[in-house]
Amino acid sequence: MQKITLLMCLGALLSLSSAQLEPDPNAETEGAAEEETELFTTPTTKLAAATANFGYSLFREQVNRDPQASVFLSPLSVSAALTQLSLGGSAEAERKLYRVLQYHHLQDSQLHSTLKNLLASVTSPSKGFSSASRVYLERKLRLKLEYLNSVEREYGVRPKALTGSPRGDLKEVNDWVKQQTGGKVNSFLTSSLPRNMGVLPLGAAYFKGQWVTRFGQSNQMESFQVEGSAPARVPMMKEDRYPVKLGIDSDLRCKIAQVQMQGDVSMLIFLPDDVTQNMTLIEESLSAEFVQDTVSALQPVELSLALPALRFSYSADLLPLLSDMGLKEWLAKTDLVKITSQPAKVGSVRHKLGVEMTPEGGQSVARAPHPEGQALGLSFQVNRPFLFLVRDEPSGALLFIGKVLDPQKLGRI
């Protein structure tokens, strides 16, 4: 685990001695013991950790493919689509998919039921998260009824054979995704599918959570520093003496803040010390275990908090990235024998998401004097490139991960 310096006083921000950079060894031992007994011990939390680790690996591939772009991912929706697809493969095809999905070590005989229950839990209305996953198929493949029935039985959604009509199929996919996300993810496909599309797993997701503590100041246009360019002007939401959990990771050269949201969801923000697009140190450290250890080490404080008010969409074909993650051989011969007796290729793995970060929330900041908070005088100003995670706290599931380099260049919802 990376050594995290906890911010206990204003002096910690101004002058960190070598003694301050070392955590209390007794506290670390106690934390490790607690983690061993309470973390990743149930089928649900183990599966959540697996899908998170798959997400972190896929996110790293996204960043490596285009290091100068903002990138985003909702791994659960992608995992669910590929898991539905795995039901149509031979034992060897399933094994290869499970390895990339990080399922191979779970030993969960009820994996599909566990995933279905996890998805139902994280998409409850209080969390502000919706997810849609489905496998679309080329009609000429002569589909096997047992595969369609098994996916519907496990996940409550039936794989869909498309008609071959470019305009009709485009409307079918877009209408279904829009309906499943409450009208929030529109135009999932922006162009017609090719006639020989083969198999199309898709995952869509939308998130608009509510903060536990609302922001009192919003839509103030302020500068967001961009590496190698003039600052961008973006709307910010701000609040003084906002309650967060905070820490500094000296190895990763960043500050970390956890901001609580309603529905037992939180946002974890990694803010590099410098204005930089290069967040490799942070990205390479990400794992379910590291994130849980980090959250456990953060300390509650009140500070001056400023976040960009963002509303954006992002879409990508993830197939080339999955190929680089170890599926290249499988993609050449998918062996989807339970779907069809004909050769079937995976034409693409489409993913689209929408996120809204707005000032709305529950309670207002308490205005009564707070001597400790006033004495600290801390500030967390997200006015430069940053990386963020949205997590479901009870399960540890990773709902979203994103890297924001320039808010002005994000796609519109």
Side-chain angles (χ1 to χ4, degrees):
M1 175 183 171
Q2 302 283 345
K3 296 183 178 66
I4 297 178
T5 303
L6 304 180
L7 303 181
M8 303 302 294
C9 63
L10 181 59
L13 284 175
L14 302 177
S15 176
L16 292 172
S17 67
S18 59
Q20 287 173 310
L21 290 173
E22 297 295 329
D24 181 344
N26 294 326
E28 188 168 339
T29 301
E30 292 172 5
E34 182 180 344
E35 173 191 337
E36 191 170 281
T37 57
E38 296 184 6
L39 187 61
F40 310 140
T41 58
T42 68
T44 297
T45 56
K46 288 178 180 179
L47 180 61
T51 60
N53 286 329
F54 163 70
Y56 295 131
S57 296
L58 184 54
F59 180 74
R60 282 188 281 270
E61 292 291 338
Q62 287 179 289
V63 171
N64 291 339
R65 183 65 62 100
D66 194 352
Q68 296 183 332
S70 298
V71 294
F72 306 92
L73 178 70
S74 180
L76 265 176
S77 66
V78 181
S79 292
L82 294 177
T83 308
Q84 291 176 25
L85 182 62
S86 75
L87 285 166
S90 65
E92 180 64 13
E94 180 186 89
R95 184 189 67 80
K96 290 176 179 177
L97 278 167
Y98 276 21
R99 180 165 291 277
V100 169
L101 290 168
Q102 305 280 335
Y103 293 166
H104 56 289
H105 61 280
L106 291 179
Q107 299 179 336
D108 182 358
S109 61
Q110 302 296 317
L111 184 144
H112 296 291
S113 177
T114 303
L115 179 56
K116 180 181 179 180
N117 291 337
L118 175 62
L119 289 166
S121 172
V122 300
T123 54
S124 64
S126 65
K127 297 182 186 293
F129 174 69
S130 58
S131 180
S133 305
R134 197 178 200 181
V135 177
Y136 282 92
L137 302 150
E138 191 175 353
R139 180 173 292 277
K140 72 176 185 180
L141 290 176
R142 294 201 296 271
L143 307 175
K144 294 184 178 181
L145 187 61
E146 178 51 35
Y147 168 69
L148 306 181
N149 291 339
S150 65
V151 174
E152 185 174 25
R153 184 169 57 249
E154 296 289 356
Y155 293 101
V157 58
R158 192 174 183 84
K160 179 78 172 180
L162 296 175
T163 65
S165 164
R167 183 174 297 179
D169 290 343
L170 180 72
K171 184 177 187 304
E172 155 67 33
V173 173
N174 287 346
D175 286 353
W176 184 82
V177 170
K178 183 176 180 179
Q179 187 270 331
Q180 292 295 308
T181 58
K184 298 299 185 180
V185 178
N186 296 304
S187 302
F188 182 87
L189 297 176
T190 56
S191 59
S192 299
L193 294 166
R195 288 193 176 275
N196 298 317
M197 55 158 264
V199 180
L200 169 64
L202 65 81
Y206 171 79
F207 179 74
K208 183 182 180 181
Q210 297 283 317
W211 310 103
V212 167
T213 304
R214 72 174 69 100
F215 287 82
Q217 307 169 53
S218 61
N219 296 323
Q220 300 182 30
M221 299 300 293
E222 297 192 12
S223 294
F224 185 98
Q225 304 300 313
V226 179
E227 183 182 10
S229 298
R233 298 290 291 175
V234 301
M236 299 289 284
M237 45 192 181
K238 304 174 69 175
E239 186 59 74
D240 297 328
R241 294 181 50 229
Y242 196 99
V244 303
K245 291 185 178 180
L246 189 67
I248 286 178
D249 192 313
S250 56
D251 292 331
L252 301 185
R253 299 197 290 273
C254 69
K255 288 196 290 186
I256 306 167
Q258 182 186 27
V259 188
Q260 199 62 39
M261 310 188 85
Q262 296 179 26
D264 288 324
V265 173
S266 71
M267 181 175 290
L268 196 64
I269 302 167
F270 294 80
L271 185 65
D273 296 337
D274 302 317
V275 178
T276 179
Q277 297 177 349
N278 186 350
M279 303 183 201
T280 303
L281 288 175
I282 301 171
E283 293 152 5
E284 292 298 326
S285 297
L286 293 173
S287 70
E289 296 79 5
F290 166 75
V291 170
Q292 184 64 36
D293 287 347
T294 297
V295 168
S296 299
L298 302 178
Q299 288 292 301
V301 297
E302 291 183 351
L303 46 66
S304 175
L305 178 63
L307 294 176
L310 301 179
R311 187 173 184 270
F312 65 87
S313 67
Y314 177 85
S315 61
D317 181 2
L318 302 177
L319 187 64
L321 307 179
L322 292 166
S323 177
D324 292 344
M325 289 174 65
L327 287 180
K328 184 176 182 179
E329 179 183 334
W330 175 76
L331 288 168
K333 185 181 179 182
T334 56
D335 206 16
L336 295 172
V337 294
K338 295 179 183 178
I339 296 179
T340 178
S341 57
Q342 299 174 275
K345 68 172 184 176
V346 177
S348 61
V349 179
R350 302 291 182 93
H351 183 49
K352 185 171 183 178
L353 57 84
V355 174
E356 292 190 61
M357 296 167 55
T358 58
E360 290 85 359
Q363 65 195 26
S364 300
V365 169
R367 299 298 177 186
H370 193 302
E372 290 184 9
Q374 290 176 338
L376 286 172
L378 301 177
S379 175
F380 194 85
Q381 306 292 309
V382 185
N383 57 4
R384 55 187 181 272
F386 65 99
L387 189 150
F388 74 93
L389 317 176
V390 178
R391 296 175 71 241
D392 176 59
E393 295 300 320
S395 66
L398 177 65
L399 307 184
F400 276 94
I401 179 170
K403 177 180 180 180
V404 179
L405 300 183
D406 183 348
Q408 286 189 333
K409 294 183 178 179
L410 300 181
R412 296 181 180 274
I413 289 182

